Amino acid sequence: MLTELQKRRTFGIISHPDAGKTTLTEKLLLFGGAIQIAGAVKSNKIKKSATSDFMEIERQRGISVATSVMAFDYRDLKINILDTPGHEDFAEDTYRTLTAVDSAIVVIDVAKGVETQTEKLVNVCRMRNTPIIVFINKLDREGKDAFDLLDEVEKKLNIRVTPLSWPIGMGQRFKGVYSLYEKKLVLFRPHGKQEEEDLIEITDITGDSLDKNVGKADADTLREELEIVQTVYPEFNREQYLSGEVSPVFFGSAVNNFGVRELLDCFVEIAPEPLPRSAEERIVNPEEEQFSGFVFKIHANMDPNHRDRIAFLRICSGKFQRNTNYLHVRQGRKMKFSNPTSFMAAKKTVIDEAYPGDVIGLYDSGNFKIGDSLTEGEALHFKGIPSFSPELFRFVNNTDPLKSKQLAKGLEQLMDEGVAQLFTRELDGRRIIGTVGNLQFDVIQYRLQHEYGASVSYEPLFIHKACWITSSDETAMKELINRRRKDIARDKHGQLVFLAESAWALKIAQENHPKVDFHFTSEF
Ligand code: G4P
C-alpha cells in the first residue's frame, strides 16, 4: 500500500485558452507511452470555431469524459493528469477539479504573458497552497523579455518564482535553454527533433564550450543574464515549492516538444506524493488503512435515453476495492460498485482496486452530489470543495406551470452536477441562476427541456457578486436582512447570501454592517 501510494503523482495543467495546455498534455502522454500518435488528445478538444454553438460544446464535453483523467507510467511512477476544461464557460468545473490535485503546472504564452483565466485558476490553487510549476511556452515565437515576464508572473499571480531553466534568444533567434537544475545546455531543433547530442553538459558556463555551441554574443548574454538570475531569485528550495511559496519556472516550446522532457524529469523529482486532505472532522492521511474519497465532478450523459452519470471520485486514503460495501456518508447507506472505471487516455477500463491519488469513475443514477464522500464507515466530510461567486445572474421563470415538478427536479439535479448555482430570493421566493459563462444559461435551458420536459425563460438581473454571509451577532444579521431584503437570498443548502449589485454596494454594506462577515466562497 505504501509503495503504491508513493508512486502516485496527481496534478492538473492550467492555462488561459490557447496557451498550449492540450499540446503539453499530449507531449507528456507521448513520453509516458500512454498514446502513440500526436493529435489524439487534441481531437477531443472543444473546437474554437464552435464556441458559440453550445450543443457542439456539450457533444465535445461528452467525448472529453475519456480525457477527464489521463494516467501514464513514467520512471516507475504512476502519473495522473486531471483535465481542467480550458473553456471559460466551464470554469466552475475547473475550479473543482483543482481540489482533487496535489500540484499544478501553469502554462503561460511567452507573447501574451499572464492572462485572466490563468490568474483566476492560480488564485484557486493558492487557497490550498497547491505547489505550482510554471512552464513558459512558445519560445519559438517572439514574446516578452524573460525578466519582464517573470516580474509579471510574480505580480499578477502573487507568487515568488525561481527559474530552473533560462532561454537563449527567442523566436527566430531561439537557440535553446540552459537548465540550471541539471546544469545542461539543451539546443533547440524545431519540430520535436531533439536528440541526445543536443543535450550538452556544461557545468562551468564561463568555459569555451558555451561559446562553441551558441556563439560568443549569445554566450555572453546568457552569462550576464544568469548572473542577474542568481542575484535576484532565490535558490530553488523544494520545501518552499511544496508549501506553495515559490514556483520553479521552465521555458520551452510544447509544439516542438522542446523543454518538455526537462519539465517532466524535474516534475517527477520534486512534485508531491498524494497529500493529506482536510475533513471537517479531522485531517485524513493517505497512509491510513481505511478507504475514503470524495466526489469532485459529475458528468451527465447528454443522451436522454441514458440517464446515467459518471461521478469522479478522488481517493484520499486506504485502498478502494471493487464490489465492496462503502458508506455514502450524506445518504447514510452502504453502496457497492461493480464497474468502477479508471482512465488511460481515451481508454476506459474496469478496475479492481485503486489507491490514494487515483481518480475513479463511478456509474451513478443520481445518488451523488459534488462534495459527497465515501468511506468504510466513518462520517467524514471533506473540505475544500467550495462554491465561488458566479459572475452572471438571471431570474429563471417557469413557462409551463404544469411542469413545475419536473422543473424543480431538473434544477436540483443540474445544480448537484455543479452546472450552475441556484439561489432563492428571500423577499419573494424567486429563483436566480448564477453561472460563470453565458453559454451555461443555454445549456441549462436546453437540458431542462430535453431531459426533464420543463421549459424556462430568463430575465436579466445585474449582480456583481454573491457573498455568503455569517455573523456571531444575531441582531446585526437581522438588521442587514431587514434593511437589504431584496438583496438577500439562500443558496441550495439554505445558507444566507448577499447579492451585491456593484462593488460599491458591497463596500457600503460591509461598512454599514461591520459585525457581519462577507465571504467570497461558500466555505469559511
Ligand atoms: P490550449 O489547450 O491551452 O487551448 O492550447 P493548445 O494546446 O490547443 O494550443 C493552442 C495553439 O498554440 C495551437 O495552435 C498549438 O499548435 C499552438 N502551440 C502550442 N505550443 C506551441 C509552441 O510551443 N509554439 C507555437 N508556435 N505554437 C504552439 P492552433 O493553430 O490553434 O492549432 P493547431 O492547428 O496547430 O493544432
Side-chain angles (χ1 to χ4, degrees):
M1 158 90 188
L2 202 57
T3 40
E4 286 297 334
L5 172 72
Q6 285 162 345
K7 277 196 203 165
R8 264 58 179 180
R9 299 290 181 279
T10 302
F11 77 107
I13 304 181
I14 53 183
S15 76
H16 191 86
D18 264 357
K21 182 176 70 77
T22 315
T23 313
L24 179 65
T25 307
E26 186 171 291
K27 302 298 174 195
L28 293 173
L29 293 175
L30 282 167
F31 276 126
I35 51 171
Q36 265 76 46
I37 13 153
V41 178
K42 196 125 205 177
S43 57
N44 285 335
K45 204 180 132 170
I46 293 169
K47 297 277 183 317
K48 272 158 251 155
S49 56
T51 44
S52 55
D53 180 353
F54 78 88
M55 273 307 292
E56 174 61 14
I57 289 192
E58 279 296 295
R59 196 183 66 81
Q60 299 268 353
R61 220 158 88 96
I63 302 171
S64 75
V65 173
T67 60
S68 288
V69 191
M70 290 164 281
F72 67 95
D73 296 315
Y74 187 72
R75 289 220 234 137
D76 292 340
L77 294 180
K78 181 165 184 248
I79 299 177
N80 296 313
I81 308 184
L82 305 199
D83 191 26
T84 53
H87 198 284
E88 62 186 68
D89 284 289
F90 297 107
E92 274 284 320
D93 274 8
T94 300
Y95 296 160
R96 277 188 295 261
T97 297
L98 290 177
T99 65
V101 303
D102 297 306
S103 73
I105 294 181
V106 178
V107 184
I108 292 173
D109 181 326
V110 69
K112 299 206 178 124
V114 176
E115 298 172 88
T116 47
Q117 191 81 346
T118 321
E119 259 178 87
K120 282 190 204 163
L121 296 173
V122 169
N123 274 337
V124 176
C125 289
R126 294 187 52 79
M127 290 172 60
R128 293 175 47 242
N129 300 325
T130 305
I132 292 171
I133 297 180
V134 176
F135 182 73
I136 299 193
N137 191 26
K138 308 198 186 179
L139 263 286
D140 58 317
R141 286 199 186 159
E142 289 302 326
K144 301 188 181 187
D145 167 74
F147 286 109
D148 290 347
L149 199 51
L150 294 186
D151 271 357
E152 186 180 329
V153 170
E154 292 206 313
K155 288 209 183 84
K156 286 201 180 157
L157 300 183
N158 197 18
I159 39 175
R160 280 162 61 215
V161 297
T162 193
L164 286 187
S165 80
W166 197 256
I168 305 164
M170 65 172 67
Q172 297 282 346
R173 297 163 292 105
F174 183 52
K175 295 208 172 141
V177 295
Y178 181 72
S179 162
L180 291 116
Y181 188 66
E182 296 176 292
K183 304 262 183 284
K184 266 187 194 152
L185 181 68
V186 197
L187 293 177
F188 177 63
R189 282 204 210 181
H191 316 301
K193 298 263 164 53
Q194 195 180 317
E195 285 167 17
E196 285 302 315
E197 65 259 36
D198 295 337
L199 289 172
I200 301 157
E201 204 145 326
I202 299 188
T203 38
D204 174 19
I205 56 159
T206 57
D208 280 358
S209 171
L210 187 62
D211 299 64
K212 260 191 240 147
N213 282 294
V214 300
K216 178 148 177 29
D218 280 332
D220 284 342
T221 315
L222 179 67
R223 289 187 189 107
E224 271 167 40
E225 291 184 343
L226 287 183
E227 212 177 297
I228 306 177
V229 167
Q230 269 147 11
T231 28
V232 176
Y233 299 102
E235 204 170 314
F236 176 68
N237 171 311
R238 183 164 182 241
E239 292 311 309
Q240 288 177 336
Y241 154 71
L242 290 178
S243 59
E245 288 166 59
V246 175
S247 292
V249 180
F250 288 85
F251 293 84
S253 168
V255 80
N256 288 296
N257 205 358
F258 183 79
V260 178
R261 183 178 287 277
E262 287 70 29
L263 173 75
L264 180 60
D265 283 344
C266 177
F267 171 85
V268 295
E269 274 180 36
I270 67 172
E273 293 172 11
L275 297 173
R277 285 284 185 287
S278 308
E280 275 164 31
E281 293 77 10
R282 63 186 184 84
I283 305 270
V284 178
N285 282 307
E287 307 85 40
E288 289 175 23
E289 252 175 50
Q290 302 248 318
F291 157 78
S292 70
F294 66 86
V295 173
F296 63 94
K297 170 169 162 171
I298 292 175
H299 202 293
N301 198 328
M302 272 293 282
D303 181 350
N305 299 322
H306 299 276
R307 276 288 182 76
D308 57 335
R309 319 192 285 181
I310 298 180
F312 290 85
L313 182 106
R314 147 104 196 193
I315 296 168
C316 299
S317 67
K319 179 161 95 174
F320 172 91
Q321 282 173 302
R322 191 158 83 99
N323 281 327
T324 305
N325 271 312
Y326 292 121
L327 176 68
H328 183 314
V329 174
R330 182 175 52 83
Q331 292 193 340
R333 66 188 178 93
K334 295 270 170 114
M335 289 176 94
K336 67 178 168 190
F337 304 90
S338 51
N339 293 309
T341 317
S342 83
F343 304 83
M344 292 292 280
K347 210 171 58 200
K348 282 191 273 180
T349 17
V350 171
I351 47 130
D352 289 316
E353 50 190 45
Y355 296 89
D358 285 341
V359 168
I360 52 173
L362 303 174
Y363 287 95
D364 171 41
S365 50
N367 288 312
F368 285 115
K369 284 189 192 189
I370 302 244
D372 276 348
S373 45
L374 277 186
T375 69
E376 280 189 36
E378 189 179 351
L380 288 174
H381 300 84
F382 287 96
K383 292 204 286 195
I385 314 161
S387 299
F388 296 84
S389 173
E391 287 168 22
L392 303 164
F393 298 82
R394 290 188 197 170
F395 279 122
V396 48
N397 297 323
N398 182 2
T399 50
D400 185 351
L402 296 176
K403 298 283 169 64
S404 329
K405 257 197 197 149
Q406 285 86 336
L407 175 61
K409 183 169 175 224
L411 278 176
E412 191 188 326
Q413 291 206 347
L414 293 184
M415 300 307 132
D416 287 352
E417 265 175 45
V419 176
Q421 291 180 56
L422 185 71
F423 302 98
T424 312
R425 191 155 79 164
E426 283 284 90
L427 180 69
D428 48 15
R430 288 194 74 180
R431 283 177 289 203
I432 297 167
I433 288 183
T435 69
V436 181
N438 256 317
L439 217 58
Q440 296 300 62
F441 290 109
D442 297 343
V443 171
I444 292 166
Q445 197 173 35
Y446 179 90
R447 289 189 55 188
L448 284 172
Q449 179 83 60
H450 287 81
E451 293 171 36
Y452 301 92
S455 67
V456 295
S457 65
Y458 297 118
E459 221 176 283
L461 176 65
F462 295 99
I463 291 175
H464 163 68
K465 248 191 176 58
C467 299
W468 284 265
I469 45 174
T470 55
S471 179
S472 50
D473 184 334
E474 222 175 283
T475 332
M477 191 68 145
K478 274 202 184 127
E479 197 183 304
L480 170 69
I481 295 174
N482 287 335
R483 273 222 239 156
R484 309 296 297 253
R485 201 151 269 284
K486 79 167 195 9
D487 304 323
I488 304 291
R490 286 189 188 267
D491 73 2
K492 67 171 190 265
H493 306 294
Q495 275 175 332
L496 281 166
V497 174
F498 176 71
L499 303 172
E501 273 173 16
S502 62
W504 176 249
L506 175 60
K507 187 167 164 272
I508 298 290
Q510 283 172 310
E511 277 170 14
N512 289 344
H513 304 276
K515 289 192 176 151
V516 176
D517 297 315
F518 293 74
H519 310 272
F520 296 95
T521 70
S522 65
E523 211 168 69
F524 24 82

